[in-house]
């Protein structure tokens, strides 16, 4: 998979997806969306998900997440529809960036989450000051575990608290990316 970056860094393009930065207008639209209400034409029928609403609500408190190194909407290239979101929780902490993602249920199982995760991780690891991208995952969600594994992430040592909560941490580093 090849990904291409726009000159202003706000858009990553992969084989099947465009990953573009959220705008404040889109965040507001997600927060105001009601079931059965008027929806933007570029949303898939089941966008936004609960996770997208949470991120939209946090964008006002974290303006850096609206930039190139923050959260992105996942747009299906063939249809032009928004089918999820993926993001980096900027700024990095000691060179580590957290990653989160979600694909609407109607588009799951197509490899979109893996494709988006690979592209965003490669982008992040090419950023000065970032050496690791990490993601927490609930072990009761084996599909999300597979997404991370297919994207090149490896399970990191899990703490007792994480084990008790049924979660694990997966990471990819600059070194892993070169292998």
């Amino acid at each position: 998979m090849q990904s291409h970056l726009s000159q202003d860094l706000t858009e990553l393009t992969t084989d099947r997806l465009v990953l573009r930065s959220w705008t404040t207008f889109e965040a507001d639209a997600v927060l105001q969306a009601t079931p059965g209400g008027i929806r933007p034409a570029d949303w898939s029928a089941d966008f936004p998900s609960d996770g997208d609403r949470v991120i939209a609500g946090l964008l006002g408190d974290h303006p850096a997440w609206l930039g190139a190194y923050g959260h992105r909407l996942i747009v299906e290239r063939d249809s032009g529809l928004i089918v999820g979101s993926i993001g980096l929780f900027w700024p990095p902490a000691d060179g580590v960036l957290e990653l989160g993602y979600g694909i609407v249920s109607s588009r799951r199982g197509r490899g979109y989450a893996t494709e988006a995760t690979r592209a965003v991780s490669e982008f992040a690891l090419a950023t000065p000051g970032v050496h690791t991208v990490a993601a927490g995952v609930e072990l009761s969600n084996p599909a999300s575990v597979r997404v991370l594994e297919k994207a090149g992430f490896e399970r990191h040592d899990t703490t007792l608290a994480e084990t008790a909560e049924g979660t694990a941490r997966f990471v990819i580093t600059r070194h892993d990316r070169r292998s």
Side-chain angles (χ1 to χ4, degrees):
M1 177 205 72
Q2 196 87 30
S3 62
H4 303 282
L5 187 60
S6 66
Q7 286 191 343
D8 67 359
L9 305 182
T10 59
E11 199 171 273
L12 284 168
T13 304
T14 68
D15 294 340
R16 300 177 299 157
L17 305 170
V18 174
L19 312 172
R20 62 176 175 76
S21 297
W22 284 73
T23 66
T24 53
F25 174 80
E26 289 165 326
D28 289 343
V30 164
L31 293 173
Q32 294 170 14
T34 57
I38 298 174
R39 307 165 44 77
D42 64 345
W43 288 5
S44 65
D46 47 352
F47 181 85
S49 70
D50 291 340
D52 300 314
R53 287 183 188 88
V54 168
I55 292 301
L58 292 171
L59 290 174
D61 295 333
H62 301 277
W65 293 359
L66 287 166
Y69 299 99
H71 288 266
R72 295 170 183 268
L73 293 166
I74 300 173
V75 181
E76 193 176 50
R77 286 179 68 182
D78 285 347
S79 70
L81 297 176
I82 297 172
V83 298
S85 64
I86 187 166
L88 299 166
F89 293 88
W90 193 263
D94 298 322
V96 179
L97 272 175
E98 292 291 324
L99 172 82
Y101 54 85
I103 301 291
V104 296
S105 60
S106 67
R107 299 307 199 280
R108 291 183 188 148
R110 299 180 186 195
Y112 288 171
T114 300
E115 190 171 322
T117 298
R118 279 186 188 133
V120 168
S121 298
E122 287 174 12
F123 171 72
L125 291 170
T127 303
V130 176
H131 58 73
T132 303
V133 177
V137 64
E138 293 179 10
L139 295 173
S140 62
N141 186 349
S144 195
V145 170
R146 281 192 306 277
V147 163
L148 294 169
E149 290 172 342
K150 288 179 183 178
F153 284 66
E154 294 183 3
R155 188 167 174 173
H156 192 265
D157 290 336
T158 305
T159 68
L160 289 175
E162 289 171 325
T163 302
E165 293 174 5
T167 63
R169 190 161 173 78
F170 284 75
V171 299
I172 189 169
T173 66
R174 280 191 180 162
H175 174 74
D176 295 333
R177 192 178 70 127
R178 291 186 192 132
S179 321

